[in-house]
Amino acid sequence: MTGSPPTADRRPVAVLKFGGSSFRTLASYGQLAEALSRRVAEDGTRLVVVVSGQPGETEQFRERLNQVNRHPEDETVAGLLTLADTVGAQLLATALHREGRTATVLAGHQLGLVTDSAFMWARLEHTDPEPLRAALHDNEVVVVPGGQAADKQGRPTWLGKNSSDLSAVAVAAAVGADACEIHSDVDGIYSSDPHLITGAQLLTEVSYNTAALMSLYGAKVLHRRAVRLAQRNRIEIVCRYNRAPFPTGSVIGSAGSSVAAVVLNQRSTALRYPTDELADQAFAVFHAANIDVVRLTSGPLVAITGGFVDLPEFQRRNGITPGEYAGVPVTAVRGSQVATQLAADEEDALHVSQRLHDYVNRPGADVDPNAPLLEMQGA
């Protein structure tokens, strides 16, 4: 685009993300469209809205794919699983049309987000802001399917599970926004999962470093690379509840006091390898594939945080000596101190998490000295 932009282009742009829990029923699209329409009218704002698919839709695509081929190639998986988010984006767009708003959808290959060719956990390499600018020139709302991008050859890539956050921050950087609003079924970051742990407290101000650290070890509220991208671009992340009136819970930015928290993700898995050398090799391969992983220093252990990785298949395909299941990692964070304990299974992880949460939130407490310390590789 050349020359001075038209007056309409000078209206502020707000970037919002709504996860899959925002769309439990088809009626949810109409309800959100009404709220977005009001915001356009009242604030005079253009919107970029990043959305995920309805709960369970991605896994339905995965099941259908596995029925055809038990070991599909990553390129095929990335091309199919991202369709759930495309469906959600189109449904929201048509709901906005019903409200009388101009809206369009920019899918990953149209968006200007260019990644490497690690199809399943692609890493952003370049952002072209022109597609978004052009779409915002002609529309009040641009809807973006979360987690989608394309490699240099234009092939669909996936930014990984729960990567709509990363899409939203990348979009905010592209349009020059100084904030990005993340809406989910909790209003912010808590000292542990409030649905599972008694006494979990809302953390109203969290630093970029703390949020990224918690995400690395499996916290489900935010995508770690989204936090780091926001930090590099000085974009404030505002965590809000996904139902009207969309209250703000946590703000992630350069400020933030020291926190005490316990990260529990029952999908995380620790693997034990025969030797430290084999554990180091496995860690390197997982990390090179952009999978969130931590090399534990208490033995030949590697923690793959957040789940959604077919571990046997990944190790087989990459020639890794298979690791044995070692448990569910539970991580305690207090300030810059980090420690982990391995729970036997998902149920045990709940008990370990509750005990650690009670401990680290006592006044003056340090991280449990009996817990094996984690090395900060991959942070």
Side-chain angles (χ1 to χ4, degrees):
M1 298 173 62
T2 59
S4 300
T7 303
D9 278 358
R10 296 196 180 100
R11 288 180 295 164
V13 178
V15 179
L16 299 76
K17 175 256 179 173
F18 289 86
S21 61
S22 306
F23 307 108
R24 297 196 180 278
T25 67
L26 289 176
S28 301
Y29 292 98
Q31 293 162 3
L32 179 58
E34 290 178 10
L36 295 175
S37 181
R38 284 196 300 272
R39 181 159 179 175
V40 170
E42 295 172 2
D43 296 350
T45 305
R46 291 171 297 156
L47 305 178
V48 181
V49 185
V50 180
V51 300
S52 300
Q54 286 189 282
E57 282 209 345
T58 299
E59 294 312 307
Q60 289 178 21
F61 279 121
R62 187 191 300 274
E63 289 174 8
R64 292 166 66 182
L65 186 63
N66 288 339
Q67 288 175 13
V68 176
N69 182 357
R70 290 296 302 168
H71 303 293
E73 294 299 311
D74 287 349
E75 183 177 358
T76 303
V77 178
L80 183 63
L81 298 193
T82 52
L83 292 181
D85 304 305
T86 301
V87 171
Q90 295 290 355
L91 290 173
L92 180 58
T94 199
L96 285 161
H97 295 156
R98 191 179 65 182
E99 292 295 316
R101 296 296 170 187
T102 55
T104 191
V105 172
L106 285 186
H109 66 285
Q110 304 167 308
L111 189 56
L113 301 184
V114 181
T115 71
D116 61 14
S117 296
F119 295 102
M120 286 290 289
W121 296 276
R123 188 178 297 275
L124 279 173
E125 293 184 342
H126 171 69
T127 301
D128 178 4
E130 287 305 318
L132 274 165
R133 291 174 181 171
L136 285 167
H137 179 269
D138 297 329
N139 295 276
E140 295 167 305
V141 185
V142 177
V143 188
V144 173
Q148 296 184 4
D151 69 3
K152 294 182 182 67
Q153 288 73 47
R155 296 173 297 184
T157 58
W158 193 30
L159 300 174
K161 188 68 177 177
N162 299 325
S163 56
S164 294
D165 299 339
L166 181 55
S167 296
V169 174
V171 164
V175 301
D178 56 9
C180 178
E181 302 174 25
I182 304 293
H183 298 73
S184 62
D185 57 359
V186 292
D187 54 356
I189 299 177
Y190 281 74
S191 56
S192 197
D193 189 329
H195 300 304
L196 300 174
I197 301 302
T198 302
Q201 301 173 357
L202 179 67
L203 308 175
T204 56
E205 287 191 349
V206 181
S207 69
Y208 292 120
N209 288 337
T210 297
L213 184 65
M214 293 176 66
S215 181
L216 173 63
Y217 290 106
K220 292 176 281 188
V221 174
L222 282 171
H223 192 284
R224 176 176 64 92
R225 282 183 282 151
V227 177
R228 290 306 188 197
L229 184 61
Q231 185 176 24
R232 290 195 297 272
N233 289 276
R234 299 179 181 176
I235 296 169
E236 199 170 65
I237 298 177
V238 181
C239 300
R240 309 181 74 167
Y241 189 58
N242 62 4
R243 295 288 185 270
F246 309 108
T248 297
S250 303
V251 175
I252 299 168
S254 55
S257 56
S258 178
V259 304
V262 172
V263 177
L264 166 63
N265 189 324
Q266 291 169 300
R267 292 184 179 271
S268 297
T269 300
L271 298 176
R272 185 184 303 277
Y273 291 88
T275 67
D276 281 322
E277 182 180 9
L278 289 173
D280 291 340
Q281 292 174 1
F283 169 83
V285 174
F286 279 113
H287 187 58
N290 301 332
I291 297 171
D292 279 346
V293 62
V294 179
R295 174 69 166 93
L296 309 186
T297 58
S298 54
L301 295 160
V302 174
I304 298 88
T305 58
F308 301 104
V309 181
D310 186 339
L311 295 176
E313 174 63 11
F314 182 89
Q315 292 176 102
R316 182 196 67 80
R317 187 178 295 177
N318 288 277
I320 302 173
T321 299
E324 294 184 355
Y325 176 80
V328 178
V330 178
T331 303
V333 177
R334 188 173 179 88
S336 60
Q337 293 180 294
V338 182
T340 192
Q341 289 188 355
L342 296 181
D345 51 33
E346 292 184 11
E347 183 176 354
D348 186 41
L350 289 173
H351 299 300
V352 172
S353 298
Q354 187 69 63
R355 181 180 64 81
L356 282 176
H357 188 269
D358 293 343
Y359 184 93
V360 300
N361 280 282
R362 295 187 308 177
D366 290 328
V367 168
D368 187 347
N370 296 316
L373 292 177
L374 294 179
E375 187 172 346
M376 300 308 298
Q377 298 186 53

